[in-house]
Amino acid sequence: MIVRKTEAELDTMARAGRIVADTLDLLEREARPGVTTGDLDRTAEEFITSRGGSPTFKGYRGFPGSICTSPNAMVVHGIPGPYRLSEGDLLSIDVGVTLDGYVADSAITVTIGEPTKQAADLIEACNLGLQAAIEQCREGRRLGDVSHAVQEVVEARGFGVVRSLVGHGVGRSMHEDPQIPNYGPPGRGPKLAAGMVFAIEPMITAGDYDVEGGSDGWAVFTRDGSLAAHCEHTVAVTANGPRVLTYRGPKGPGEAR
Ligand code: MG
Ligand code: MG
């Protein structure tokens, strides 16, 4: 069952989303050569708690970090730790914040220093796929339209869409119904209605879309070792169209938000 939220609930989620967005802005600035993913985790936890939120991922099914940090061929769910960022790395940073009983969830992929053309193109495709999916979050559309939008944009740019990992409904819990694949035919699935909130999260690859789990039981990698990108927003369907609850502010020239 897809839980629909009231306007007041959406406003609370948007306040959680503001903390998520500000945390991602901070981490994007902090992610430099020589910094470890563990450093980013501590920075995030301190910032989130200073704003009155709590890091949703910490303790979730025993997850030890406050955020997920997934470099290069790691797609998602990386545990922050001793990994030291270096020039040319690609890094997915995923942040969830719980505030007043509601969750917001968002991720970005950034490059450390100057990106290669492949890395820049991959990140751009991920963001464009997410934007296309957000555009479908309107009353009367179907969930399949959201999924299809990602696949269409990403595959047209020659990249792979991970099949075995999906987005999700979000609200009082981080993971609510429905599951939101990043591929599939349009015009299928539940009809979208005001108050539904989705964490839409394209996970895409420069090579084949097959993935495999790592030895820590959390991290997921591309099977062929190719680069992966991941971006995510928490988006509400409203009578006035999509409302991005984790909005990070207006785009600068050539900047993906
Ligand atoms: Mg997330
Ligand atoms: Mg998520």
Side-chain angles (χ1 to χ4, degrees):
M1 190 191 71
I2 305 176
V3 179
R4 293 168 63 180
K5 282 81 181 172
T6 64
E7 286 285 333
E9 289 178 302
L10 294 186
D11 289 343
T12 302
M13 292 184 74
R15 286 192 294 113
R18 183 73 254 166
I19 301 173
V20 172
D22 291 346
T23 307
L24 288 170
D25 280 342
L26 173 63
L27 297 178
E28 183 171 22
R29 289 193 300 274
E30 293 291 318
R32 312 182 286 264
V35 171
T36 69
T37 54
D39 294 334
L40 297 180
D41 191 61
R42 282 183 288 279
T43 299
E45 180 165 9
E46 208 172 282
F47 180 76
I48 291 166
T49 51
S50 80
R51 293 277 297 266
S54 57
T56 310
F57 305 163
K58 191 154 201 173
Y60 177 82
R61 297 185 177 172
F63 188 79
S66 289
I67 59 174
C68 297
T69 49
S70 308
N72 302 319
M74 197 190 291
V75 187
V76 286
H77 302 164
I79 299 174
Y83 184 84
R84 200 169 289 281
L85 299 171
S86 59
E87 186 79 22
D89 273 347
L90 192 85
L91 181 71
S92 151
I93 307 171
D94 195 347
V95 174
V97 168
T98 306
L99 182 74
D100 297 337
Y102 289 87
V103 176
D105 185 9
S106 180
I108 56 175
T109 294
V110 299
T111 53
I112 312 306
E114 275 305 300
T116 61
K117 176 155 190 336
Q118 185 189 53
D121 289 349
L122 188 69
I123 292 173
E124 183 181 65
C126 200
N127 284 311
L128 290 172
L130 176 57
Q131 289 306 324
I134 290 170
E135 215 16 68
Q136 295 300 318
C137 292
R138 296 174 183 279
E139 288 184 294
R141 303 279 166 88
R142 290 187 183 272
L143 193 62
D145 299 331
V146 176
S147 300
H148 182 73
V150 176
Q151 182 177 21
E152 197 173 34
V153 167
V154 171
E155 289 184 349
R157 283 166 175 73
F159 296 120
V161 173
V162 174
R163 301 299 201 264
S164 57
L165 298 159
V166 297
H168 48 94
V170 56
R172 283 195 170 278
S173 302
M174 176 160 61
H175 292 133
E176 297 185 351
D177 285 343
Q179 293 199 340
I180 308 169
N182 293 300
Y183 67 98
R188 307 250 184 100
K191 211 173 239 193
L192 306 190
M196 292 180 176
V197 185
F198 305 133
I200 304 169
E201 48 183 318
M203 289 156 272
I204 75 169
T205 60
D208 195 86
Y209 61 68
D210 268 348
V211 296
E212 61 189 5
S215 57
D216 65 14
W218 282 101
V220 177
F221 296 85
T222 57
R223 202 179 286 277
D224 64 7
S226 65
L227 283 181
H230 169 220
C231 57
E232 176 179 29
H233 268 307
T234 295
V235 184
V237 179
T238 80
N240 304 316
R243 179 179 177 192
V244 180
L245 302 175
T246 46
Y247 181 61
R248 290 177 67 213
K251 256 204 266 199
E255 194 186 10
R257 303 284 283 177

Coordinates of all heavy atoms in Angstrom, one line a residue, residues 94 105 167-168 174-175 199 201 232, ligand 2:
D94 N 25.5 9.3 -0.2 CA 24.0 9.1 0.0 C 23.7 9.5 1.5 O 24.4 9.0 2.4 CB 23.7 7.6 -0.2 CG 22.2 7.3 -0.4 OD1 21.4 8.2 0.0 OD2 21.9 6.2 -0.8
D105 N 15.7 11.5 1.9 CA 16.8 10.6 1.4 C 17.3 11.2 0.0 O 16.4 11.4 -0.9 CB 16.2 9.2 1.2 CG 17.1 8.1 0.8 OD1 18.4 8.3 0.8 OD2 16.7 7.0 0.5
G167 N 14.6 2.3 -6.4 CA 14.1 3.4 -5.5 C 12.9 2.9 -4.7 O 12.5 1.7 -4.8
H168 N 12.3 3.8 -3.9 CA 11.3 3.3 -2.9 C 10.5 4.5 -2.4 O 10.9 5.7 -2.5 CB 12.1 2.8 -1.7 CG 13.2 3.7 -1.2 ND1 13.0 4.6 -0.2 CD2 14.5 3.8 -1.6 CE1 14.1 5.3 0.0 NE2 15.0 4.8 -0.9
M174 N 12.2 4.8 6.1 CA 13.0 5.0 4.9 C 12.5 4.2 3.7 O 12.6 4.7 2.6 CB 14.5 4.7 5.2 CG 15.4 4.8 4.0 SD 17.1 4.9 4.5 CE 17.4 3.4 5.3
H175 N 12.1 3.0 4.0 CA 11.7 2.2 2.8 C 10.2 1.8 3.0 O 9.8 1.0 3.8 CB 12.5 0.9 2.7 CG 13.9 1.2 2.4 ND1 15.0 0.6 3.0 CD2 14.4 2.0 1.4 CE1 16.1 1.1 2.5 NE2 15.8 1.9 1.5
A199 N 11.4 8.1 -3.2 CA 12.9 8.3 -3.3 C 13.3 7.7 -4.6 O 13.3 6.5 -4.7 CB 13.6 7.7 -2.1
E201 N 16.0 6.9 -7.4 CA 17.5 6.9 -7.4 C 18.1 6.0 -8.5 O 18.3 4.8 -8.3 CB 18.0 6.4 -6.0 CG 17.3 5.2 -5.4 CD 17.9 4.9 -4.0 OE1 19.1 5.0 -3.8 OE2 17.1 4.6 -3.1
E232 N 19.9 10.7 -6.3 CA 18.6 10.5 -5.7 C 18.0 11.8 -5.2 O 18.7 12.6 -4.6 CB 18.8 9.5 -4.5 CG 17.6 9.2 -3.7 CD 17.8 8.2 -2.6 OE1 19.0 8.2 -2.1 OE2 16.9 7.4 -2.2
Ligands
MG2 MG 17.0 5.7 -1.1

